[in-house]
Amino acid sequence: MMDLGPRRMTTEARRAQLLAFGRQHFAEHGYEALPMDAIAERAGVSKGLLYHYFGNQRGFYMETVRAVTDEVIAITEPPADQPFEQAFRVMVTRFVGYVQEHGAIYNALVRGGLGSDIEVNELIDRVRTTTTSRILERLRVRQPSALSEIAIYGWVGLIENGCAEWTVTGGASPSQLIDFFISAFEPVLEVLQSEQCS
Amino acid sequence: MMDLGPRRMTTEARRAQLLAFGRQHFAEHGYEALPMDAIAERAGVSKGLLYHYFGNQRGFYMETVRAVTDEVIAITEPPADQPFEQAFRVMVTRFVGYVQEHGAIYNALVRGGLGSDIEVNELIDRVRTTTTSRILERLRVRQPSALSEIAIYGWVGLIENGCAEWTVTGGASPSQLIDFFISAFEPVLEVLQSEQCS
DNA sequence: GGCTATTATTGACGATTCGTCAATAGCTAT
DNA sequence: ATAGCTATTGACGAATCGTCAATAATAGCC
């Protein structure tokens, strides 16, 4: 129902193919909307194969989510050879670009569709914590206060939710979004600066 | 295992009791960590009773989530007899207060723990959309642009994620949080104002 | 080009869980 | 007390999960 390739593949190729399928599938139907039998049929393989590669239903879902979040984390790495303001803009721009390109999947998988249990949420949360530490690093904040971390972490939630809403409503240009996200960071910067002094 | 009341209760009382239990249960274990048999046993009732009241497993979970989100929506209603700035601060303060009081449950249920499918997410999203429209109303914005809505909606994500992180790390006072959340709204206001003119 | 070893792949199976429903039992009112 | 109403139960069939021995497609060797 989707295969088209040879019946027997190398483990790596098959794994990649199944993950690519999982991305589409889970974006469309949620985790657990369809039983594993049906998922396997749609993927063009037997149920046993899915269990062989991913252990269980949650395993398949988690690895799919991990593939997406890893991608986001990799793409939004701020360039190290630029001053903060510039690197920061690059990061935001790349994030918005990713959402623009993979909108439906991003929205359904990372924020909208699901997040069925604690382990999955920790996976998704890794995007937020990684971004937070990257910003703290680039600003040379050694021992951030609780409020600082909350502020940055909250700002990441702002761009996540903003982008998620954007994928649904549309109607704003990427540059408008990017400019707003950057301006929304100013209050965060103020919190950070007010603490650098103390 | 939890009951203590009479064996037979009025439908309303039983319903309320089960929802109260569900809140604790789902906050601790996620949706679907335990089978319905075990959940019923912990609640001190039969499995059949849970199905009688809530239809199915998802039904029980959804109604529990709905109870929490309804509560949040009710509590954060901005007072109508005050100017915007004041009403806005009241709204934020009440939200932070709610999280401070029901931290674990809020975090686990609304953001952290789960959100297992599309319907549940729509339920949780209602908090964000309601807050967004309330703000637009209070600011007398009749036909908001896409960017305006995204900005406000994103800001709601900021306070949600900020509060969620706060429940985990602690370490900041409520007033610090509130002040930051309010200052973080300034860039949103700027977006709104720049469009009022056009 | 056939043959064999390797291993990717399958589908039937037992175990678990879901959701139903006729039967039960606790409360209220007369 | 007793009868009627209905909240509550637990055993049942259907569906789904996850396993595992059997299968078959490929690659390498002669």
Side-chain angles (χ1 to χ4, degrees), chain A residues 132-151:
Chain A
T132 301
S133 10
R134 278 173 177 169
I135 292 175
L136 285 171
E137 264 179 47
R138 294 301 307 257
L139 286 173
R140 323 260 172 204
V141 178
R142 299 292 174 197
Q143 296 182 331
S145 72
L147 185 65
S148 301
E149 288 193 295
I150 292 171

Side-chain angles (χ1 to χ4, degrees), chain A residues 8 35-37 47 51 57:
Chain A
R8 183 189 173 120
M36 281 295 258
D37 311 35
K47 182 177 58 163
Y51 280 96
Q57 197 169 10

